[in-house]
């Protein structure tokens, strides 16, 4: 079983990519689980057609442990079936402004392990993890060696690259204790100046590579309105094929490395020089 984590700046399109890759893997006959690690619980809605389904933390709140300490939550209430047979779990989080969202990830993953959700037939578990590596809970999939194969979604925008570089710092830090390695950079195009050069140069300086570039396409928004992945809603589209190509690239990937994060000065210098050259 390959356990993969996908990180990226909030709003970069990470969850859309994860769900479409999972759908493509499922379509190809693989057994896949997606674990949503965002307290908004919106990481699997395109797979299930249910934007806000039940979460692990909600079920734990609604069905507290018995006096003996046993967990009173069954897997059939927290593992939903999505398109192409993809199994879907949302960790969830506390009410806004209350508690620590990162602890929800820890609780959810521990519960899934304890209750036997990671069955022997599973080929891929993909953790869709919120934003930057700044909290111990959000770092759990790589800190404790749950996922040793990490993909980072970015664009050519400054803050997306900054977040990606911070995530690379987290991967490098946990490479010693949890064995985390970066599998590649996924460029989710925003059509900004020098985007391809920026992301390619960034990946190369990290000691990694761009494993896929996903173009902007209105079919993504259209599919999301229908609460479906592009792979399910528009299977013949060029965009669906891009997700299939990315799924194949991940399935065949054995080039994992410990990233070498850029300094802030180098990140700014790289971005400025490439954008200025592009705009001349």
């Amino acid at each position: 079983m390959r356990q993969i984590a996908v990180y990226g700046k909030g709003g970069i399109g990470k969850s859309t990519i994860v769900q479409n890759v999972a759908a493509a893997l499922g379509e190809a006959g693989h057994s896949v689980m997606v674990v949503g690690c965002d307290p908004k619980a919106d990481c699997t809605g395109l797979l299930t057609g249910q934007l806000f389904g039940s979460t692990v933390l909600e079920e734990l709140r609604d069905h507290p442990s018995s006096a003996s300490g046993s967990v009173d939550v069954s897997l059939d209430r927290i593992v939903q079936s999505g398109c192409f047979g993809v199994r879907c779990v949302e960790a969830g989080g506390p009410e806004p402004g209350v508690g620590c969202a990162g602890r929800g990830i820890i609780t959810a993953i521990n519960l899934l392990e304890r209750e036997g959700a990671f069955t022997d037939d599973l080929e891929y578990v993909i953790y869709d993890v919120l934003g930057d590596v700044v909290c111990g809970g959000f770092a759990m999939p790589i800190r404790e060696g749950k996922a040793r194969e990490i993909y980072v979604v970015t664009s050519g925008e400054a803050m997306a690259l900054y977040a990606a570089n911070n995530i690379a710092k987290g991967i490098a830090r946990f490479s010693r204790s949890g064995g985390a390695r970066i599998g590649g950079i996924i460029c989710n195009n925003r059509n900004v100046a020098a985007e391809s050069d920026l992301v390619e140069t960034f990946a190369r300086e990290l000691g990694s590579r761009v494993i896929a570039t996903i173009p902007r396409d209105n079919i993504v928004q259209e599919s999301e309105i229908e609460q479906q992945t592009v792979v399910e809603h528009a299977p013949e589209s060029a965009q669906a094929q891009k997700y299939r190509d990315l799924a194949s690239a991940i399935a065949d990937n054995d080039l994992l490395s410990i990233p070498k994060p850029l300094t802030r000065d180098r990140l700014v210098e790289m971005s400025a020089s490439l954008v200025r050259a592009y705009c001349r």
Side-chain angles (χ1 to χ4, degrees):
M1 180 177 67
R2 286 171 65 180
Q3 297 197 63
I4 295 167
V6 181
Y7 283 83
K9 173 183 172 291
I12 198 61
K14 170 176 45 62
S15 294
T16 298
I17 289 173
V18 165
Q19 291 174 89
N20 276 284
V21 166
L25 289 169
E27 180 188 51
H30 296 289
S31 178
V32 186
M33 176 184 283
V34 174
V35 180
C37 299
D38 188 319
K40 297 192 303 299
D42 58 356
C43 300
T44 61
L46 302 180
L47 290 164
T48 63
Q50 190 176 347
L51 187 56
F52 297 108
S54 180
T55 73
V56 173
L57 289 194
E58 285 173 346
E59 288 294 331
L60 286 173
R61 285 195 292 266
D62 294 342
H63 303 87
S65 301
S66 66
S68 65
S70 62
V71 177
D72 192 23
V73 174
S74 61
L75 288 179
D76 62 357
R77 290 205 297 264
I78 59 175
V79 181
Q80 309 297 319
S81 179
C83 66
F84 304 110
V86 176
R87 304 175 212 180
C88 303
V89 178
E90 294 282 1
E95 292 297 318
V98 179
C100 171
R103 290 188 62 83
I105 299 171
I106 296 171
T107 299
I109 294 176
N110 286 342
L111 175 63
L112 290 170
E113 289 183 332
R114 191 164 57 244
E115 297 300 304
F118 301 128
T119 54
D120 292 340
D121 63 313
L122 263 179
E123 296 175 75
Y124 296 90
V125 175
I126 306 176
Y127 299 95
D128 179 348
V129 192
L130 173 68
D132 217 336
V133 182
V134 294
C135 163
F138 293 122
M140 185 206 184
I142 58 176
R143 186 185 71 232
E144 296 189 8
K146 310 295 183 187
R148 300 188 177 190
E149 185 175 344
I150 320 299
Y151 295 90
V152 181
V153 181
T154 188
S155 68
E157 297 163 302
M159 294 313 297
L161 289 168
Y162 177 77
N165 197 54
N166 271 353
I167 292 163
K169 292 178 182 177
I171 297 170
R173 181 174 300 114
F174 295 121
S175 65
R176 294 183 290 275
S177 58
R181 299 289 186 272
I182 190 168
I185 301 294
I186 300 168
C187 178
N188 199 28
N189 270 357
R190 297 300 177 91
N191 297 338
V192 297
E195 186 160 39
S196 178
D197 287 345
L198 277 167
V199 178
E200 290 280 358
T201 302
F202 171 69
R204 187 167 56 251
E205 294 201 15
L206 277 183
S208 186
R209 62 180 175 133
V210 176
I211 195 167
T213 296
I214 306 298
R216 290 182 72 88
D217 193 310
N218 290 336
I219 196 65
V220 175
Q221 183 181 27
E222 180 184 314
S223 300
E224 289 178 346
I225 288 171
E226 299 300 326
Q227 295 188 39
Q228 291 182 322
T229 63
V230 176
V231 174
E232 180 182 19
H233 178 71
E236 303 302 320
S237 67
Q239 192 76 1
Q241 190 56 47
K242 286 289 184 181
Y243 294 126
R244 292 189 188 101
D245 291 345
L246 173 54
S248 295
I250 290 173
D252 296 338
N253 188 27
D254 58 4
L255 297 176
L256 307 180
S257 61
I258 299 173
K260 302 183 290 288
L262 285 64
T263 65
R264 288 189 184 184
D265 287 346
R266 175 53 192 154
L267 188 61
V268 171
E269 176 191 19
M270 179 201 76
S271 300
S273 63
L274 289 172
V275 171
R276 284 172 185 148
Y278 179 89
C279 293
R280 284 195 184 115

